[in-house]
Amino acid sequence: MSFKINRDKSNRHVAITPWEKYQSEERKRAAKKPNRVQRIGAKLPRLKHQKNRRLAQRMGILIAIFGIILVISGYYVSPLSHVGRISVSGNQALSRQRVIQLSGIDHGDSIYRVVGKEQQLSKRVKRQTPRVKRITFSIAHFNQLSIHVAEYPTAGFVPANGYYRVALGSGVISQERQKQPTGSYPVYDKFKSHKQLSQMIQQYAKLSKKIQTGISEIQFSPTQADPERVHLYMNDGNEVYATISTFASKMAYYPSIAAKMSHKEIVNLEVGAYSYSF
């Protein structure tokens, strides 16, 4: 038997050692490196542009923050953040200076003693004086304070220890006092009950101005039949008897009754409405 050796190398399968395999992979990677470097190099300008843009955005934010801080700091030290002119309106019995004093706000104070604290200021003023019915605070033109007051009107005077205390339309006897009554307001006398005096004052406050100015004095003069009876002395010389609870509604008829009288008489408004001679 004869053997023939096949010397054709193309048909042989030669085993590759691990070292040869590693060398082959390294050659392949080395062949790819120039292309990779080229791709990264192509991206560098775009990356640099993005980096500069982010840097500019951050710088813009920082500048804006510092700018806001400077503006706020400048505002706080400027005159615009402090109360300048103070105007008072609606006051009658209370003077302008008294209203400002009651508010506790003065020229040069921070406007933030007013802004957001209007309700607190209003309550503070009302605690100090019963004269104030409503009071509002507002800021205009950055630092100009406007105060508007609504007062309870004066409704007469009550004798007290040699002085006359002021009665307000709310029925409250204020701490304001004076030596003599002023204006065309009545004097309330002989009232023993504070509650009845307060009711009488509130009834008086409901009258028209014309009827109010015609009353000189109101005395408490109860009877068994009418424990709420009051005795009025009018400026026209007439006298009136009335009941506290119906005083305002009955006194509305007084001008028409007085117009029909030919001489000074007594007008009784307790039950019905009639007049008779002294």
Side-chain angles (χ1 to χ4, degrees):
M1 180 179 291
S2 63
F3 295 94
K4 186 177 180 181
I5 299 174
N6 187 5
R7 299 183 181 273
D8 187 0
K9 292 182 180 182
S10 59
N11 294 328
R12 286 185 303 174
H13 295 281
V14 180
I16 301 176
T17 64
W19 171 252
E20 290 176 335
K21 183 178 180 180
Y22 171 77
Q23 290 288 334
S24 176
E25 290 176 353
E26 282 296 314
R27 284 195 296 270
K28 291 178 181 179
R29 279 197 291 268
K32 292 180 179 180
K33 276 185 179 181
N35 293 333
R36 184 180 178 186
V37 172
Q38 186 177 2
R39 286 198 300 272
I40 294 175
K43 292 181 179 179
L44 281 178
R46 187 172 62 183
L47 293 173
K48 186 175 182 181
H49 176 71
Q50 291 177 351
K51 183 178 179 181
N52 291 337
R53 187 173 62 183
R54 291 196 189 101
L55 182 62
Q57 288 175 348
R58 290 172 184 172
M59 288 295 294
I61 293 171
L62 290 174
I63 292 172
I65 292 173
F66 281 114
I68 292 171
I69 293 173
L70 287 174
V71 169
I72 294 174
S73 301
Y75 172 74
Y76 271 102
V77 299
S78 73
L80 290 177
S81 66
H82 298 81
V83 175
R85 184 171 64 87
I86 301 177
S87 61
V88 179
S89 60
N91 57 311
Q92 296 179 358
L94 297 173
S95 66
R96 173 183 177 277
Q97 192 57 41
R98 178 60 176 158
V99 173
I100 295 174
Q101 181 185 9
L102 290 170
S103 72
I105 305 298
D106 206 347
H107 294 278
D109 290 343
S110 172
I111 64 169
Y112 291 101
R113 290 192 62 188
V114 179
V115 176
K117 299 179 175 64
E118 293 84 354
Q119 294 296 326
Q120 297 176 20
L121 292 172
S122 177
K123 291 178 181 178
R124 170 181 173 169
V125 173
K126 289 180 179 179
R127 281 197 303 267
Q128 296 181 81
T129 175
R131 171 70 75 172
V132 175
K133 185 177 182 180
R134 289 186 306 275
I135 184 167
T136 58
F137 299 83
S138 60
I139 296 292
H141 304 292
F142 296 103
N143 67 341
Q144 295 182 15
L145 174 62
S146 297
I147 304 175
H148 182 74
V149 184
E151 300 177 356
Y152 285 108
T154 297
F157 299 91
V158 179
N161 300 324
Y163 289 91
Y164 289 89
R165 291 174 62 185
V166 178
L168 303 176
S170 60
V172 174
I173 310 302
S174 75
Q175 295 300 318
E176 303 173 42
R177 65 178 192 173
Q178 51 194 64
K179 291 185 177 180
Q180 294 294 332
T182 57
S184 54
Y185 302 106
V187 173
Y188 301 87
D189 198 13
K190 298 182 180 180
F191 283 85
K192 306 301 181 183
S193 167
H194 179 77
K195 180 179 179 180
Q196 288 178 322
L197 175 58
S198 178
Q199 290 175 341
M200 182 66 247
I201 295 169
Q202 291 178 65
Q203 286 286 319
Y204 169 85
K206 295 178 182 179
L207 298 176
S208 66
K209 193 67 176 178
K210 181 180 179 180
I211 300 176
Q212 285 181 347
T213 56
I215 303 173
S216 174
E217 186 175 348
I218 302 175
Q219 290 184 357
F220 186 58
S221 180
T223 64
Q224 286 186 349
D226 186 2
E228 289 188 339
R229 191 180 78 159
V230 289
H231 186 186
L232 281 67
Y233 295 87
M234 308 299 291
N235 289 326
D236 58 10
N238 295 323
E239 295 180 21
V240 177
Y241 286 102
T243 301
I244 294 176
S245 57
T246 60
F247 179 79
S249 60
K250 291 292 187 70
M251 276 300 290
Y253 298 106
Y254 176 79
S256 61
I257 295 173
K260 297 175 182 178
M261 292 161 39
S262 58
H263 54 277
K264 308 306 176 189
E265 295 184 3
I266 294 176
V267 178
N268 193 300
L269 301 175
E270 292 176 88
V271 180
Y274 61 92
S275 64
Y276 54 92
S277 300
F278 284 100

